[in-house]
Amino acid sequence: MNLALTNGKVFIKGKLVKTNVLIQGSKIKKITSSKIKAIHEIDCKGKIILPGAIDAHVHFRTPGFEYKEDFFTGSLSALHGGITTIMDMPNTNPVTSTIKTRDVKIKLAEKNCLTNFYIYMAALNSNLEEISKAKNLRAVKLYYGSTTGNILMNKKSEIEKLFKLAKKKGFVVSVHAEDEEIMKQNSEKFRGNSNPEIHAKIRNEESEAKAISEILSIQQIIGNKIHIAHISSEKGLALVKKAKKRMNGNKVTCEVTPHHLFLDSSDYKKLGNLMKCNPSIKEAKHRKALLNGLKNGAIDIVATDHAPHSREEKTQDYWKSPSGIPGEETMLPLLLDAVNKKQISLKKIVEAVAENPAGIFGWKNKGFIKTGFDADLVIINMNGKTKIEDKKLFTKAGYSPWNKKTLKAMVENTIIGGQVFG
Ligand code: DOR
Ligand code: ZN
């Protein structure tokens, strides 16, 4: 492929610059304001060009739950949303906890996943030997509180060993931080009540804060790299902020999802179990704290936690309905809509969806628009129209909490490894 992206505004070093991008093969060959000639040209007049998003947290459900999603539909959904790299979570069947199960999954992804991908390994109380032998680990997932799949690792002695191993091998430990005891006690309190609003009270702020605090207290001694996934509460964020200051470096990072940024407990009335997810979506003050955290750099990245389930499963009684919200197609339009509304800067959003995930998870040659880097790019029309509609979604889930919402920001094309999609 020899392709010129001309007349657009390109996001380079924190700013939009009017320039042209020449793509040769899978790489960015040249960035120049002079005229360029190529076999193919996309006139990007009036559009902006951003690095493709790196989604560090998805559940594409293969193997075992392909009726919810698979690598093809998940990645198709990602490309429609301007996401060019995904990092897939291990709560599948079988759980990705051995080198063998991971290799099987990698083969399936190589065959069917349209985006770049990484396959997480789960840390269990019993698989440190396997993790120590695994190759090319960017990150492993630690479920400190249980969620879909009931994987759990909350033995302090094993976590210490895992963190030592992480430090030695240099991989990041991404943590689902919720406290089992608090959640169990709260579940008892609300037994018999099936109003989805109780989810925020069962998986509450205290549960998240206690788990984060315990995890950080181990990490502070060992000094490994830790990433708190899908942070959802003001107290949880305050703990991460403090730890970042103490560590003065990049050892502690955290993530927020679009649903924790753009929904709050007042939405349960309308959305019910469709917005049931773990950790829960909490009261409006948390949403505001999270948006502030993203603005001031306390939160490093935005990732979808794309967690599709079938509509039949989701619309069951509260106690039976599985947790999870799909988000591949809606993350970038929602975030860029917030830029349009001046709620946050474009610079912060590009850092959060491309530059920072590239840095934290070691994606060399991705996350930035630079000569020699991979041609993973997204062309955006900030004055376009995205109408989110359940029936038009590519995810097998077929629903979105933002169904019927119209946004101005629109993904026009996604370019992955120099290939134009859309
Ligand atoms: O809401 C969630 N859904 N949170 C998780 O931690 C897991 C995920 C899933 O796999 O469904
Ligand atoms: Zn998840």
Side-chain angles (χ1 to χ4, degrees):
M1 185 66 127
N2 174 255
L3 169 69
L5 307 179
T6 55
N7 304 317
K9 286 190 174 167
V10 186
F11 191 88
I12 298 168
K13 290 192 187 146
K15 280 199 228 88
L16 287 173
V17 185
K18 198 159 186 306
T19 191
N20 305 312
V21 180
L22 179 67
I23 295 166
Q24 180 70 52
S26 63
K27 303 278 179 195
I28 297 168
K29 175 92 191 262
K30 204 196 267 178
I31 300 169
T32 174
S33 54
S34 353
K35 214 171 160 38
I36 43 174
K37 284 192 179 148
I39 298 171
H40 304 279
E41 180 180 339
I42 300 179
D43 184 351
C44 301
K45 192 165 189 311
K47 317 280 162 62
I48 64 171
I49 301 167
L50 307 178
I54 298 172
D55 187 354
H57 192 151
V58 310
H59 299 262
F60 282 178
R61 307 295 192 206
T62 302
F65 303 105
E66 288 88 345
Y67 71 95
K68 296 177 196 258
E69 198 76 288
D70 59 45
F71 280 121
F72 179 72
T73 55
S75 60
L76 195 59
S77 177
L79 288 177
H80 276 280
I83 295 165
T84 47
T85 298
I86 61 99
M87 298 177 69
D88 186 57
M89 286 295 170
N91 58 338
T92 46
N93 187 17
V95 172
T96 321
S97 59
T98 61
I99 294 171
K100 209 165 161 198
T101 50
R102 185 162 176 257
D103 283 347
V104 168
K105 209 172 187 174
I106 289 171
K107 289 241 157 59
L108 287 166
E110 276 168 354
K111 237 170 116 189
N112 301 308
C113 191
L114 303 166
T115 57
N116 306 293
F117 64 87
Y118 171 75
I119 303 295
Y120 280 94
M121 212 163 158
L124 306 178
N125 286 322
S126 57
N127 75 336
L128 295 187
E129 184 77 26
E130 286 282 320
I131 294 177
S132 74
K133 288 188 205 140
K135 295 208 172 77
N136 304 320
L137 285 185
R138 296 174 193 272
V140 304
K141 181 69 181 286
L142 162 57
Y143 289 94
Y144 193 66
S146 56
T147 180
T148 313
N150 287 321
I151 311 167
L152 195 61
M153 184 191 198
N154 59 5
K155 265 194 207 160
K156 194 170 174 231
S157 57
E158 290 303 300
I159 293 173
E160 275 172 7
K161 281 189 217 155
L162 171 71
F163 285 7
K164 282 183 186 153
L165 187 57
K167 189 174 179 190
K168 192 168 142 215
K169 289 190 72 164
F171 61 77
V172 177
V173 181
S174 174
V175 186
H176 182 117
E178 292 190 279
D179 184 77
E180 282 297 289
E181 264 318 299
I182 294 182
M183 292 193 292
K184 245 186 230 155
Q185 284 166 13
N186 290 339
S187 293
E188 277 312 310
K189 259 198 233 164
F190 289 98
R191 200 154 294 290
N193 184 340
S194 279
N195 184 339
E197 286 175 29
I198 63 174
H199 200 56
K201 300 191 170 113
I202 293 174
R203 293 184 176 253
N204 63 6
E205 178 174 37
E206 272 57 49
S207 159
E208 179 170 86
K210 182 164 179 261
I212 290 178
S213 155
E214 288 173 4
I215 284 290
L216 287 175
S217 70
I218 307 173
Q219 183 272 343
Q220 299 280 299
I221 296 164
I222 296 167
N224 58 305
K225 284 189 202 156
I226 198 137
H227 179 74
I228 306 294
H230 43 46
I231 198 149
S232 70
S233 70
E234 199 173 15
K235 273 191 195 158
L237 182 59
L239 289 165
V240 170
K241 241 175 160 175
K242 242 202 238 156
K244 281 187 170 199
K245 268 197 198 134
R246 277 202 301 269
M247 291 301 289
N248 64 54
N250 58 358
K251 295 266 165 71
V252 180
T253 56
C254 75
E255 151 195 315
V256 69
T257 71
H259 43 270
H260 290 103
L261 278 177
F262 298 119
L263 300 173
D264 60 54
S265 56
S266 67
D267 294 301
Y268 283 109
K269 272 200 178 62
K270 180 177 159 215
L271 295 171
N273 293 328
L274 283 191
M275 64 180 272
K276 182 184 178 192
C277 64
N278 304 334
S280 68
I281 292 167
K282 299 176 171 61
E283 296 74 22
K285 69 167 185 172
H286 300 290
R287 180 167 59 76
K288 286 173 196 154
L290 296 170
L291 186 60
N292 271 333
L294 186 60
K295 280 194 208 166
N296 64 32
I299 295 177
D300 303 271
I301 75 167
V302 181
T304 60
D305 194 7
H306 176 81
H309 298 283
S310 72
R311 191 187 280 273
E312 293 68 42
E313 290 170 323
K314 286 296 274 183
T315 48
Q316 296 173 100
D317 174 78
Y318 167 77
W319 296 95
K320 282 199 183 141
S321 175
S323 291
I325 297 176
E328 294 297 89
E329 283 152 88
T330 47
M331 174 173 78
L332 263 194
L334 284 166
L335 292 172
L336 295 173
D337 197 61
V339 172
N340 265 337
K341 289 181 180 147
K342 307 223 175 327
Q343 291 166 348
I344 192 159
S345 68
L346 179 65
K347 182 170 182 286
K348 272 288 158 213
I349 295 305
V350 176
E351 282 170 9
V353 301
E355 297 178 0
N356 291 344
I360 294 166
F361 297 104
W363 290 99
K364 289 210 181 80
N365 301 322
K366 293 196 187 297
F368 296 83
I369 303 182
K370 273 190 196 171
T371 305
F373 270 48
D374 294 344
D376 293 348
L377 304 164
V378 57
I379 303 173
I380 302 283
N381 185 351
M382 291 296 272
N383 293 302
K385 186 178 166 188
T386 298
K387 183 157 189 212
I388 300 169
E389 280 181 277
D390 284 353
K391 60 177 189 294
K392 287 196 184 153
L393 293 170
F394 288 85
T395 169
K396 285 187 189 177
Y399 55 80
S400 162
W402 295 283
N403 181 36
K404 299 205 173 108
K405 196 174 169 79
T406 302
L407 306 164
K408 249 169 90 184
M410 178 189 178
V411 174
E412 293 245 341
N413 297 100
T414 303
I415 297 171
I416 176 156
Q419 300 290 318
V420 184
F421 175 85

